[in-house]
Amino acid sequence: DSVASRGLGDVYKRQIISFLNQKGGVGKTTLSTNVAYALSQRGYKVLLADADPQGSAISWAAVRGNKVLPFTVVGMANASLRQQLPRMQEQDGYEFVIIDGAPRMTELSRAAIIVSDLIVMPMRPSGFDIWATEELKSMVDEARIYKPEIITAVCLNAVINNTKLAKEVIADMEENHWSFFETTITQRVAFGNAGTQGLSVIELDPYSEAAKEIEQLTDEIVSLKG
């Protein structure tokens, strides 16, 4: 079912959100930085925690130069994020904490899972990505023993327009009762152009189709916060 159709926004308040998938190259940093920016533009106080040892989100923020970043970015590539992030959220009043997760299922990933309210699983429409996401789902199911309220949802990313593959993947997710966002993110040059400049696609061109997709995805995420 799509996340919106499940009506979760009436029940849960979402505050700590991880973008996770054990497969690299699915767009975790692209989506986490763009959603963090979109949330900050709506007036929310946002913390982006870079939990990837490669430090992609930190690098993204660094190349902005003197452009003011409207949210806080910190490096936190250690399992202590499980204790540190809730403490920072409480002390500094962050309404959304976004975790840009590491590739591969490590102790870092397990810590991010257990601390999260919502886990966004970026996934390209391919068989390899489905298999990797199934492994992540299994790990989350294990974590639900300790935190049963964790919500997961797939975000289809880098979808090529006018292909059957995305529709087939969505049909497969529906058949297997996976939760997913109604918004799909299309493969667009704008995401790469913005990322190399340390910008969000909203900054690059707020009227672009890429920006509209990020805004739509953010709408769905905000609806889960209640």
Side-chain angles (χ1 to χ4, degrees):
D1 300 336
S2 73
V3 175
S5 70
R6 293 177 63 189
L8 298 175
D10 296 332
V11 182
Y12 299 101
K13 289 189 178 297
R14 296 290 157 232
Q15 293 187 328
I16 300 183
I17 304 166
S18 288
F19 287 76
L20 288 176
N21 199 313
Q22 73 158 351
K23 189 174 184 299
V26 295
K28 292 185 293 291
T29 301
T30 296
L31 293 180
S32 60
T33 52
N34 276 280
V35 167
Y37 185 89
L39 287 168
S40 72
Q41 293 307 288
R42 298 177 186 209
Y44 294 107
K45 188 172 184 180
V46 179
L47 172 68
L48 174 61
D50 188 343
D52 185 345
Q54 295 177 358
S56 299
I58 291 287
S59 298
W60 172 85
V63 298
R64 289 180 65 88
N66 59 5
K67 302 182 189 74
V68 175
L69 188 63
F71 57 91
T72 303
V73 181
V74 296
M76 200 166 289
N78 57 76
S80 66
L81 65 83
R82 180 175 174 181
Q83 291 78 35
Q84 291 185 50
L85 289 181
R87 189 181 307 125
M88 292 174 70
Q89 183 183 34
E90 179 70 24
Q91 291 175 350
D92 298 320
Y94 290 108
E95 293 164 284
F96 282 97
V97 175
I98 308 293
I99 301 173
D100 180 19
R104 297 177 299 281
M105 293 296 99
T106 62
E107 286 305 310
L108 265 174
S109 299
R110 291 185 176 88
I113 287 169
I114 203 66
V115 80
S116 296
D117 301 301
L118 170 66
I119 297 170
V120 180
M121 300 182 290
M123 187 179 84
R124 291 173 180 258
S126 77
F128 294 112
D129 288 60
I130 291 172
W131 298 331
T133 304
E134 284 175 340
E135 292 189 34
L136 171 58
K137 281 169 59 62
S138 296
M139 182 176 284
V140 175
D141 287 340
E142 293 174 9
R144 284 199 176 101
I145 297 171
Y146 309 100
K147 190 175 180 181
E149 68 273 20
I150 299 172
I151 298 300
T152 61
V154 170
C155 177
L156 276 187
N157 186 40
V159 175
I160 299 173
N161 275 328
N162 303 316
T163 60
K164 294 181 180 179
L165 187 55
K167 292 179 181 178
E168 291 172 353
V169 169
I170 289 172
D172 190 53
M173 289 194 295
E174 288 176 335
E175 184 177 338
N176 289 286
H177 306 292
W178 286 27
S179 295
F180 57 91
F181 291 98
E182 290 183 352
T183 303
T184 59
I185 306 298
T186 308
Q187 184 169 297
R188 300 183 188 278
V189 174
F191 287 106
N193 288 344
T196 56
Q197 300 175 62
L199 302 175
S200 74
V201 290
I202 297 169
E203 290 175 282
L204 193 67
D205 181 357
Y207 302 105
S208 66
E209 291 302 313
K212 290 176 186 176
E213 289 174 354
I214 291 298
E215 294 285 12
Q216 289 166 4
L217 176 60
T218 305
D219 285 343
E220 290 194 70
I221 288 171
V222 170
S223 76
L224 295 180
K225 190 174 186 292

